[in-house]
């Protein structure tokens, strides 16, 4: 089966890649797979400041991956599409072989 890849497809994948390139953003997306959450609760569970959480949620909104739902004076955040939850689950099931000489907890130096 052949699929036509458009600029829209590549832009969407680039946005997802950008979102996943930061550990905090990736953890937010994974946590939102369980359902909507308030920024303060996300910040507490991920061990980051509310300002960091606000910045990361703004980035994820800009990438089109999460949306805010007003709830009185607060807003909760959720994934924009249930398919994103499934896609993240699929990515988690991938098996990656990483050369320990190349990549460490400090980052990846592979060229």
């Amino acid at each position: 089966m052949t699929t036509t890849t458009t600029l829209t497809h590549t832009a969407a994948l680039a946005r997802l890649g950008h979102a996943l390139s930061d550990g905090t953003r990736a953890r937010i997306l994974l946590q939102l797979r369980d359902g909507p959450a308030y920024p303060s609760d996300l910040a507490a569970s991920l061990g980051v400041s509310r300002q960091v959480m606000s910045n990361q949620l703004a980035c994820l909104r800009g990438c089109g991956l999460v949306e805010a739902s007003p709830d009185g004076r607060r807003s909760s955040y959720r994934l924009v599409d249930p398919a994103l939850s499934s896609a993240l689950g699929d990515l988690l099931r991938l098996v990656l072989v990483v050369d320990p000489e190349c990549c460490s907890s400090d980052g990846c130096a592979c060229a």
Side-chain angles (χ1 to χ4, degrees):
M1 177 174 145
T2 303
T3 355
T4 303
T5 303
T6 67
L7 288 177
T8 302
H9 292 119
T10 55
L13 285 175
R15 287 193 310 272
L16 180 60
H18 175 71
L20 293 174
S21 71
D22 178 87
T24 301
R25 288 192 300 265
R27 290 169 47 210
I28 292 167
L29 290 172
L30 292 173
Q31 188 147 351
L32 290 177
R33 291 175 64 216
D34 296 332
Y38 294 105
S40 58
D41 296 337
L42 287 167
S45 71
L46 298 180
V48 299
S49 71
R50 289 183 181 195
Q51 183 60 48
V52 166
M53 184 57 59
S54 176
N55 292 341
Q56 299 297 5
L57 287 169
C59 179
L60 292 171
R61 276 193 324 267
C63 288
L65 301 173
V66 302
E67 62 187 1
S69 299
D71 183 15
R73 295 180 63 182
R74 300 171 67 186
S75 291
S76 65
Y77 284 80
R78 66 183 180 99
L79 299 176
V80 296
D81 188 328
L84 181 54
S85 179
S86 299
L88 290 168
D90 290 344
L91 287 171
L92 287 173
R93 285 186 284 283
L94 288 176
V95 177
L96 300 177
V97 178
V98 178
D99 180 353
E101 298 297 320
C102 175
C103 299
S104 69
S105 60
D106 295 329
C108 192
C110 303

